[in-house]
Amino acid sequence: MRKKVTIVGAGNVGATTAHWLAAKELADIVLVDIVEGIPQGKALDLLESLPVERSNVGVVGSNGYEPTAGSDIVVITAGFPRKPGMSRDDLVRANAEIVGAATAEVAKRSPNSILIVVTNPLDAMCEVARRVSGFPRERVLGMAGVLDSARFCTFIAMELGVSVDNVHAFVLGGHGDQMVPLPRYSTVAGVPITELLDKATIDRLVERTAKGGGEIVNLLKAGSAYYAPGRAITEMIDAILKDKHKILPCAAYLQGEYGIRDLFIGVPCRLGAKGLEKVVEIGLTAEEKASLEKSAQAVEALVKTLP
Ligand code: APR
């Protein structure tokens, strides 16, 4: 039987994720949105592209949650995106309500599903989904690190004029301006970028990565990024549905790893069919550890504001 992925929120990120998933023939897709006609219209349009693509997956759109029953994975993108000048944190109250309601609906119809939260502020919305679903930490993950790392990769490849195929980049921490890109663990054809670029250049790329979401918001004026987020979500889904045991940076609920407890934060995670298989702990310098702690404090402060 084909796998089933529900995407709540058929806006830019949700629809783009559906597009990547369908093109890769990964699973049947259910798009859910509150706006009448939007999920149905986008689902039908996408479905009509698949005879050309020769991809055999089903795509349905709905305003209700009935078609989501028995999903293997549920992606939650419902909510308001950032507007220029707005931080992710400004979104917290409005989006907590939306994510909480969506989680309650999907959790009762797909009690064994794995939740991938995307709505911002990411780490706090993961906590909302965890509390409302009651799912174990293995089955509640947040998508941020794959996107942040992809942005860092992009800037490294552009700076050095090399193929993105050669670049691996590492980003830890919360999905906010306090994220922690790790140049020591970011490599080009296996060589750390600290051997290839001077400190001022690395600092510039790190800064651009941390503010990468805002850069797109400022350019688009209305709305926030969706191509790269959609592709990053697809990478997590691919690792889970194919039971790849792949290490990807994700927001996970830490239980003492990195000295942090009861908090979602971005860390390297091994993903497989059960969701989170293991939080991978890597050695950090005192400075990197301090940055991660600072990032965790910012997430903690936000979680405290949750209703
Ligand atoms: N239930 C279902 N869908 C909802 C609900 C709800 N209660 N409330 C809002 N939505 C839908 C909107 O109708 C809209 O179609 O969520 C969709 C959000 O789509 P966009 O506004 O296009 O936002 P998008 O760019 O997709 O970003 C969604 O992902 O990256 C994050 O910061 C971003 O939090 C934002 C989220």
Side-chain angles (χ1 to χ4, degrees):
M1 209 168 88
R2 283 206 293 252
K3 300 288 186 181
K4 181 166 168 179
V5 174
T6 284
I7 302 170
V8 185
N12 282 335
V13 175
T16 307
T17 305
H19 186 177
W20 285 111
L21 290 176
K24 289 177 175 288
E25 211 172 31
L26 275 177
D28 288 336
I29 299 158
V30 181
L31 274 174
V32 178
D33 202 285
I34 41 164
V35 181
E36 258 176 59
I38 290 288
Q40 294 87 346
K42 290 191 180 182
L44 184 60
D45 189 14
L46 184 54
L47 191 69
E48 288 166 355
S49 75
L50 299 184
V52 184
E53 184 66 17
R54 299 279 169 218
S55 173
N56 293 271
V57 296
V59 191
V60 298
S62 173
N63 299 119
Y65 283 84
E66 296 72 28
T68 71
S71 293
D72 296 284
I73 296 180
V74 177
V75 180
I76 301 182
T77 75
F80 301 108
R82 272 199 291 172
K83 299 197 175 70
M86 203 176 172
S87 81
R88 290 187 182 90
D89 303 355
D90 293 335
L91 288 173
V92 74
R93 262 163 296 276
N95 282 353
E97 202 169 305
I98 294 172
V99 169
T103 302
E105 295 290 348
V106 295
K108 67 181 173 215
R109 292 177 178 84
S110 302
N112 300 314
S113 60
I114 294 164
L115 304 179
I116 299 178
V117 180
V118 181
T119 306
N120 276 311
L122 193 268
D123 307 275
M125 292 306 109
C126 290
E127 176 61 9
V128 171
R130 190 193 68 82
R131 285 182 193 168
V132 173
S133 66
F135 287 3
R137 75 165 183 160
E138 286 71 23
R139 294 196 286 116
V140 186
L141 293 161
M143 190 294 293
V146 179
L147 168 64
D148 296 330
S149 302
R151 284 183 173 143
F152 198 17
C153 277
T154 307
F155 303 143
I156 292 167
M158 278 161 60
E159 188 68 33
L160 288 168
V162 298
S163 163
V164 287
D165 279 359
N166 286 137
V167 187
H168 285 90
F170 222 116
V171 176
L172 293 181
H175 185 51
D177 298 346
Q178 312 253 15
M179 72 179 73
V180 188
L182 291 182
R184 270 187 332 124
Y185 289 119
S186 301
T187 59
V188 175
V191 181
I193 61 165
T194 44
E195 308 274 316
L196 303 169
L197 295 165
D198 60 39
K199 186 172 178 318
T201 306
I202 292 175
D203 288 349
R204 178 165 50 77
L205 303 187
V206 161
E207 166 97 357
R208 190 169 178 195
T209 301
K211 299 193 169 150
E215 183 176 0
I216 305 282
V217 169
N218 288 333
L219 287 167
L220 293 179
K221 310 258 175 355
S224 51
Y226 49 97
Y227 290 117
R231 182 60 186 86
I233 296 162
T234 305
E235 192 70 0
M236 290 174 67
I237 293 174
D238 183 73
I240 294 167
L241 293 184
K242 293 184 182 161
D243 195 20
K244 281 190 165 176
H245 316 296
K246 186 167 184 171
I247 297 171
L248 292 172
C250 311
Y253 193 63
L254 297 191
Q255 291 294 300
E257 297 92 351
Y258 294 96
I260 297 168
R261 186 165 284 282
D262 299 340
L263 198 70
F264 277 91
I265 196 112
V267 287
C269 293
R270 200 175 77 206
L271 300 187
K274 295 194 170 80
L276 173 68
E277 293 181 337
K278 188 180 169 31
V279 170
V280 179
E281 290 196 78
I282 54 165
L284 297 179
T285 63
E287 199 185 336
E288 288 160 353
K289 213 160 187 292
S291 298
L292 185 63
E293 271 157 23
K294 203 168 151 206
S295 185
Q297 281 161 11
V299 174
E300 201 168 14
L302 200 58
V303 167
K304 284 205 177 109
T305 70
L306 288 174

